[in-house]
Amino acid sequence: MKFPSGAGCSAEIDDDFTSNNFTDRGSGFGVDTTEERCDWIAFRGNSVNGTFIALPSELGADSFLVQFTLVISAFSATTGNEKYFWVGLSSSNSCNSTTSQNNLAMYFHNYSGEANLRLQSDDNGTFQGGVLSTVQASAFTKYIRIYYDSTATTTAKLEIYSNSDFSDTPVTATDTSYDTSLRYTNFVMMGMKHASAGAGSATGYIKDLKIFNDRITPCP
């Protein structure tokens, strides 16, 4: 992990996954230092599965940016195959989707053929509601930004890019009801814990995780 610094730039986390700084819960999630990525397998099941890293300082009221590469290696859009993956900021390190927690994240599921990537901002459980983007989960590589801009009056945004340098026009989902009283202490990836299991799963990984405080663009 790298912690860059510079005038006017506060980098909370800059993780290239050459070392393992995450704590895993259950199975299916974890850092692969050889491939320099954090792997995940997403499905609906009755156990807690996920991984997390504590933030050096809490995020919430001031501007911040979460940025990473998202790779979905395998995804079947068959109707009824329920696949769930959640990634973002939380006040909890439980990796338990049934635990009440402040959260700002991206997630997707496949339910009756619908698998849009969504932006969620909530103070309850995860995998709930959210603002839809037009991007459907499939086997792809996308470049993700999730951020809150304190100058934009309670607005949080998900941006989904196709270019690794973030140079193209992103697909977006915007939450205009972001609650500045919420606080986040962990970056979390998790699957969905549910009383009944779903069918199917999706697999993939994230790379090049960067989290910045007090800014909505990366350090120069």
Side-chain angles (χ1 to χ4, degrees):
M1 178 183 289
K2 301 172 293 181
F3 291 91
S5 62
C9 183
S10 173
E12 297 295 287
I13 289 174
D14 186 352
D15 202 335
D16 55 9
F17 299 109
T18 54
S19 59
N20 186 2
N21 303 287
F22 278 69
T23 301
D24 304 336
R25 309 281 195 198
S27 63
F29 290 74
V31 171
D32 181 339
T33 56
T34 300
E35 297 294 334
E36 299 179 2
R37 67 194 197 189
C38 191
D39 294 326
W40 54 266
I41 179 168
F43 58 90
R44 191 182 79 180
N46 59 8
S47 60
V48 172
N49 298 302
T51 191
F52 75 92
I53 185 172
L55 302 175
S57 60
E58 132 184 316
L59 303 180
D62 299 320
S63 297
F64 58 82
L65 168 69
V66 179
Q67 177 177 295
F68 55 88
T69 301
L70 171 68
V71 177
I72 301 178
S73 304
F75 185 94
S76 172
T78 305
T79 299
N81 265 13
E82 298 180 15
K83 307 164 183 68
Y84 295 82
F85 175 65
W86 190 100
V87 54
L89 302 177
S90 175
S91 62
S92 170
N93 65 12
S94 68
C95 301
N96 187 339
S97 61
T98 67
T99 299
S100 292
Q101 54 198 283
N102 301 335
N103 61 89
L104 177 66
M106 184 209 79
Y107 79 91
F108 69 77
H109 67 165
N110 182 34
Y111 184 73
S112 298
E114 184 275 313
N116 297 77
L117 274 59
R118 298 173 179 238
L119 174 69
Q120 178 183 15
S121 173
D122 205 344
D123 61 355
N124 201 341
T126 59
F127 297 101
Q128 298 188 69
V131 181
L132 286 169
S133 76
T134 59
V135 174
Q136 289 272 323
S138 62
F140 61 42
T141 299
K142 298 291 185 183
Y143 304 91
I144 307 298
R145 283 178 172 165
I146 304 168
Y147 64 87
Y148 163 62
D149 183 355
S150 63
T151 68
T153 313
T154 61
T155 296
K157 184 174 279 190
L158 166 67
E159 294 182 340
I160 305 163
Y161 293 81
S162 296
N163 295 346
S164 60
D165 62 358
F166 298 89
S167 61
D168 55 310
T169 300
V171 176
T172 64
T174 302
D175 185 347
T176 58
S177 61
Y178 176 80
D179 186 349
T180 56
S181 70
L182 303 184
R183 295 294 182 269
Y184 314 113
T185 53
N186 302 276
F187 174 81
V188 180
M189 300 163 58
M190 73 175 88
M192 186 181 198
K193 184 179 185 297
H194 196 275
S196 60
S201 64
T203 60
Y205 55 88
I206 71 165
K207 297 186 72 171
D208 304 319
L209 172 64
K210 303 178 191 297
I211 301 176
F212 298 95
N213 196 6
D214 294 325
R215 58 188 297 124
I216 60 169
T217 56
C219 294

